[in-house]
Amino acid sequence: MGNKEAAWSDFLAPKFWPIWLGIGLLRLVSMLPYRAGLALGRMIGRLLLKAMSKRRHIVEINIRTCFPELTREQQQQRVKEVFENNAIGLIETGWAYWKSREFFRARTEFRNFELLDRYLEEGNGVILMGWHFSCLDLAGLLFSLYGKPCSTLYRKHDYPLLEWFFTHGRERFSFPIERQKTRQMLRAMRNNHCIWYAPDQDLGRKGTVFVPFFGHPAATTLATTKMHQLNNSPLIKLDCWRKPDNSGYILECSEVEGFPSGSEEQDAVLINKAIEQGIRKAPSQYMWVHKRFKTAPPGEKNIYKAAKR
C-alpha cells in the first residue's frame, strides 16, 4: 500500500473476512441499550474467564502481586470482575465508535476540570496522562463532550485491518498520533491541544527504569518527562471509571504531585504512584490482562513464568 492512507476497501480479501465478521458483530452489539450492553459484557467476560486460561493466569499473577492484602477468595473474585469489566470494555469500544454522544452526555460527570482549563489558558498544551482502564476508547468520546481538542498517542497495531479500524474509530473524537511521530506530537502541543498518553505498560528495558508499581518493581518509561521537556507542557492525570451503580462515568483531572522533579527516575516514581491512585478508584476496571511486570529486574525471575505450575 506504500505511503497512501489505508481505507476499508483495501481489506476486502477473504483473509480479512473473520475480522470483518467480528467488527460487524460489535456494530450490532453497540445498538444495545446501556444496561443490556453491560449485562452482555459481564456474560461474555465470564465465558472468557473459563476459555482463556493463559490470560487468566496473567490476571491472577497481577492481582496476587498487587493486592497481597486480599484473601485468596477476594483475589479470585477480583479476577472474575476484571474479566467482566474488560469484556464490558469491548462493548464500550463499540459505543465509542458508533453511539450518539448525546446518549452519554447525561451519564458523564466531570470533576476538577477547572484545572485543565487553567493550564490550557497558558497556551502550551497539556499532557493528559491516562492509564489502560477497560473503558479506554469510550473515555475519549466522553472527554470530547467537554469540547477541548485532544490528540491521542498510540502504538501502531501489527495487523493492518485492526490498525485501520481502531484509528478510524478514534478519529471520531480525537486526532490519533502514532507515538513515534514526535513532530506531529509537538505540533499538537504548540496548537494548545491536549495530548492523551498512557505510560503504564511494560515496553522493555530501553528507555525505562525499574520503579515501584503497587510495591513491585516495574519497567517504567521515561518518555513522560521527555514529552514535558519538548514544549514545557504541563502534566495532568485523567482518571476515568464507571460508577459503582453503573449509572454512568466519572472523568477526573488531578495534579501529579511533585512533577517535574528534576530527575527522570523520580518522575517515573511519581507517575506510577499517581496511576496506582487512579486504579484504586476502581481496581477491577484496569486492564490486568497485560503483563505489566514481564520485564524482570536484573537477576530476578519473570513472575509469570516462575508462578506457572
Side-chain angles (χ1 to χ4, degrees), residues 74-94:
Q74 290 171 330
Q75 289 175 353
Q76 288 303 309
Q77 176 62 25
R78 182 154 294 177
V79 170
K80 174 175 173 287
E81 292 170 356
V82 167
F83 271 85
E84 291 176 348
N85 279 299
N86 275 264
I88 288 172
L90 181 62
I91 309 295
E92 290 168 330
T93 297

Side-chain angles (χ1 to χ4, degrees), residues 96-158:
Y97 293 175
W98 293 299
K99 215 166 189 67
S100 166
R101 283 180 172 83
E102 294 307 311
F103 179 83
F104 290 103
R105 194 172 296 276
R107 291 181 169 88
T108 306
E109 178 183 345
F110 297 98
R111 293 182 180 176
N112 200 28
F113 267 59
E114 60 273 12
L115 176 66
L116 177 65
D117 293 334
R118 187 168 72 248
Y119 276 139
L120 285 174
E121 287 176 359
E122 297 177 3
N124 287 339
V126 167
I127 302 170
L128 205 60
M129 186 182 78
W131 37 277
H132 284 78
F133 33 78
S134 58
C135 59
L136 185 67
D137 280 319
L138 182 59
L141 182 73
L142 301 180
F143 182 82
S144 73
L145 296 174
Y146 196 71
K148 303 297 183 182
C150 184
S151 298
T152 54
L153 297 189
Y154 74 100
R155 184 185 72 83
K156 188 174 182 179
H157 204 285
D158 295 332

Side-chain angles (χ1 to χ4, degrees), residues 263-281:
S263 161
E264 289 183 334
E265 182 170 350
Q266 180 59 24
D267 284 350
V269 171
L270 298 173
I271 287 163
N272 276 4
K273 181 179 178 182
I275 292 173
E276 180 179 332
Q277 290 169 346
I279 292 171
R280 289 188 182 277
K281 295 173 183 176

